[in-house]
Amino acid sequence: QYYRQAMRISHTRPGKADPRLDRESGFTLIELMVVLTVAAVILVFAVPSFEGVINNNRVTTTINELTTTLAIARTEAIKSNSIIIVKATDHASHGWRNGYKVLYSSDNEIKIVGPINSRISKFTDSTSTVVFNSLGGLGSTIYPTSTSTVTFTIHAPKAYGRDLNVTMSGATTVCVHTATTNNSSCPYDK
């Protein structure tokens, strides 16, 4: 008997619509406006911080490309037992911004890197040419180096700058600046 009552309640009569479907479904204009307003507020706060993330990636990409190029040059110097030069393509006017190239001392090119991203606001260097000797260190008797460390500083707006240091032995280290300002420095003595 209980089973029959449950069956009667759970089934509707044929031809009669389910009462839950009598109401129309969808969003009202007010609900849609509230959702759009909340989304706009979230975007207002998210976009400026996203710019910093993008610029940090630009700086990281640029420093990684330069580090890789210097590693290729050093490896090639050791492998070929010769002098390898990395120099700015247009060191007279824009320094390393317009790109740089790796070449043998006989001017045969090994690798060419095009101009860096235009959003990089600062790309400074302590030299326009980096020379690796056959032992993988900096300088040679033909191309003596005047400093014990070559430093490249790369920075972009709202991003942490980075220094790439090349020691006399040819080893490279990257240091991340402690602030996002253009004149911040790495937490070590240069």
Side-chain angles (χ1 to χ4, degrees):
Q1 187 178 21
Y2 175 74
Y3 176 74
R4 283 187 206 154
Q5 286 178 346
M7 291 301 290
R8 245 184 284 145
I9 293 171
S10 66
H11 292 296
T12 57
R13 291 186 188 159
K16 189 158 183 167
D18 189 350
R20 293 176 291 178
L21 298 178
D22 286 344
R23 196 174 68 131
E24 291 189 31
S25 61
F27 299 108
T28 65
L29 185 59
I30 301 289
E31 291 169 332
L32 184 62
M33 293 302 289
V34 167
V35 169
L36 289 176
T37 303
V38 169
V41 168
I42 290 171
L43 282 176
V44 164
F45 290 108
V47 169
S49 65
F50 194 62
E51 181 184 359
V53 170
I54 290 171
N55 284 341
N56 270 326
N57 285 339
R58 287 180 178 136
V59 170
T60 301
T61 300
T62 303
I63 206 84
N64 287 345
E65 178 67 35
L66 182 57
T67 303
T68 301
T69 301
L70 292 172
I72 289 170
R74 182 177 186 223
T75 303
E76 187 62 30
I78 295 168
K79 184 175 80 174
S80 65
N81 197 26
S82 62
I83 295 170
I84 301 295
I85 302 166
V86 182
K87 68 179 186 178
T89 305
D90 181 20
H91 59 274
S93 59
H94 296 289
W96 297 72
R97 284 186 165 281
N98 284 343
Y100 40 94
K101 55 187 169 182
V102 179
L103 40 97
Y104 291 100
S105 58
S106 61
D107 282 342
N108 291 337
E109 294 175 345
I110 299 169
K111 179 180 180 178
I112 298 174
V113 177
I116 65 165
N117 192 305
S118 62
R119 304 258 176 146
I120 300 293
S121 61
K122 181 180 180 185
F123 191 129
T124 59
D125 56 83
S126 57
T127 183
S128 61
T129 304
V130 178
V131 179
F132 290 99
N133 59 36
S134 60
L135 299 174
L138 287 182
S140 69
T141 54
I142 300 169
Y143 300 97
T145 183
S146 59
T147 60
S148 60
T149 303
V150 175
T151 302
F152 296 91
T153 301
I154 300 174
H155 204 281
K158 297 181 182 178
Y160 290 98
R162 289 176 179 55
D163 284 356
L164 171 63
N165 297 301
V166 186
T167 64
M168 279 301 285
S169 66
T172 57
T173 57
V174 175
C175 174
V176 179
H177 290 202
T178 56
T180 58
T181 58
N182 225 359
N183 43 353
S184 67
S185 62
C186 284
Y188 62 85
D189 296 326
K190 290 187 179 183

